[in-house]
Amino acid sequence: MNLVLLGPPGAGKGTQAKRLIEKLAIPQISTGDLLRQAVKDETELGLQAKVKMETGELVPDDVVIGMVTQRLAQDDCKAGFILDGFPRAVGQAEALEDLLASVGRGLEHVVSIEVPEEELVRRLTGRRSCPACGAMFHVSFNPPKQSGICDACKGELITRADDNEETIRNRISVFRQQTEPLKDFYQAKGLLRGIDGSGTPAEIENIIAKVISKA
Ligand code: AP5
Ligand code: MG
Ligand code: ZN
């Protein structure tokens, strides 16, 4: 199954993608995670992306399209994939469409996760992530057993560089301006599945499972 998770920062794209990986046995492709890895490795691409990410602006289309093209060509994507955080501009959506069409494939569902803005800010200001294994926590909604320490690998938890209120507000505004138009783009193609993302992670997982099991 070829899936896109669409939604504002903090909607739970990463949280739901991790749950879906197990259910569907297909990989999560998060452009945010790929870019953070490049920043950490100080690659040329990472150095280019760093400032954009720290201020909450989008990294140029050609950079992320190149990354996704390479990733989708890998063997583990043959049975399908879950795109998390891509596409997030109309140019990216068009490039993805061309790329999939060129290999005789297409998207099955674009799940748009809707969450009110104040809830997004609460989720992101309290998020803590494990850079070692990718596990995600929230200081109140999903706290680790021991404060600041990853339950899964005992690594030290961090606050992402873009999870401060000023950058969060800008990321939401960039989403409204550049990414939200994709809802109309995919609606017109009959692929959009809008869902209420304000319940618990388990509730939202069930809603997603229902919408993607329908034709
Ligand atoms: P990216 O990493 O994609 O960040 P984002 O879109 O801002 O989304 P987040 O990862 O912050 O939120 P999420 O929806 O994954 O929520 P999560 O599950 O973590 O992108 C970062 C940057 O990279 C961009 O700003 C841009 O610069 C660049 N970039 C990336 N892709 C790009 C592209 N395609 N083009 C150009 N630039 C690109 O959940 C958040 C928190 O809430 C967690 O603490 C979690 O535990 C908690 N939580 C989740 N679900 C629930 C729930 N149901 N109830 C309570 N708490 C919950
Ligand atoms: Mg994410
Ligand atoms: Zn960990």
Side-chain angles (χ1 to χ4, degrees):
M1 182 174 295
N2 303 336
L3 272 186
V4 168
L5 297 183
L6 187 68
K13 302 182 294 295
T15 301
Q16 293 303 324
K18 293 213 159 56
R19 290 169 167 255
L20 288 169
I21 291 176
E22 295 176 17
K23 204 174 236 163
L24 304 173
I26 51 176
Q28 168 197 19
I29 301 172
S30 158
T31 42
D33 287 350
L34 292 171
L35 288 165
R36 275 183 291 280
Q37 188 61 47
V39 169
K40 200 169 149 194
D41 295 343
E42 298 183 338
T43 64
E44 196 178 320
L45 190 155
L47 296 173
Q48 251 182 311
K50 190 169 192 270
V51 179
K52 295 281 185 199
M53 295 177 79
E54 279 171 354
T55 54
E57 297 295 320
L58 295 187
V59 172
D61 282 357
D62 55 339
V63 174
V64 284
I65 292 167
M67 259 174 21
V68 170
T69 304
Q70 277 188 13
R71 184 65 188 85
L72 286 178
Q74 290 171 13
D75 276 350
D76 63 336
C77 295
K78 282 202 175 117
F81 50 79
I82 305 160
L83 281 168
D84 156 10
F86 180 94
R88 59 214 263 164
V90 172
Q92 296 180 16
E94 289 168 344
L96 176 65
E97 197 170 37
D98 292 347
L99 174 67
L100 293 175
S102 73
V103 290
R105 299 172 72 174
L107 293 173
E108 263 101 46
H109 306 278
V110 175
V111 179
S112 170
I113 310 176
E114 314 278 347
V115 176
E117 176 151 344
E118 287 319 303
E119 174 68 12
L120 297 174
V121 176
R122 272 194 295 275
R123 288 185 185 180
L124 292 175
T125 48
R127 174 168 55 189
R128 299 292 180 271
S129 1
C130 176
C133 77
M136 219 144 36
F137 301 88
H138 188 283
V139 289
S140 338
F141 306 143
N142 175 29
K145 290 194 183 78
Q146 194 185 343
S147 169
I149 304 294
C150 176
D151 289 353
C153 78
K154 304 289 166 216
E156 210 170 308
L157 299 179
I158 58 151
T159 301
R160 254 169 59 175
D162 57 350
D163 278 348
N164 58 80
E165 184 155 353
E166 190 188 350
T167 309
I168 290 168
R169 298 273 178 202
N170 190 45
R171 285 157 60 201
I172 295 172
S173 135
V174 167
F175 172 82
R176 299 280 175 236
Q177 288 167 33
Q178 301 188 52
T179 310
E180 207 151 36
L182 289 181
K183 288 201 238 167
D184 287 339
F185 179 91
Y186 285 122
Q187 178 74 53
K189 295 179 188 295
L191 295 173
L192 192 76
R193 322 280 180 247
I195 66 153
D196 177 2
S198 51
T200 65
E203 284 165 352
I204 297 158
E205 182 185 352
N206 286 333
I207 298 174
I208 296 178
K210 271 198 198 108
V211 300
I212 65 176
S213 68
K214 291 191 189 132

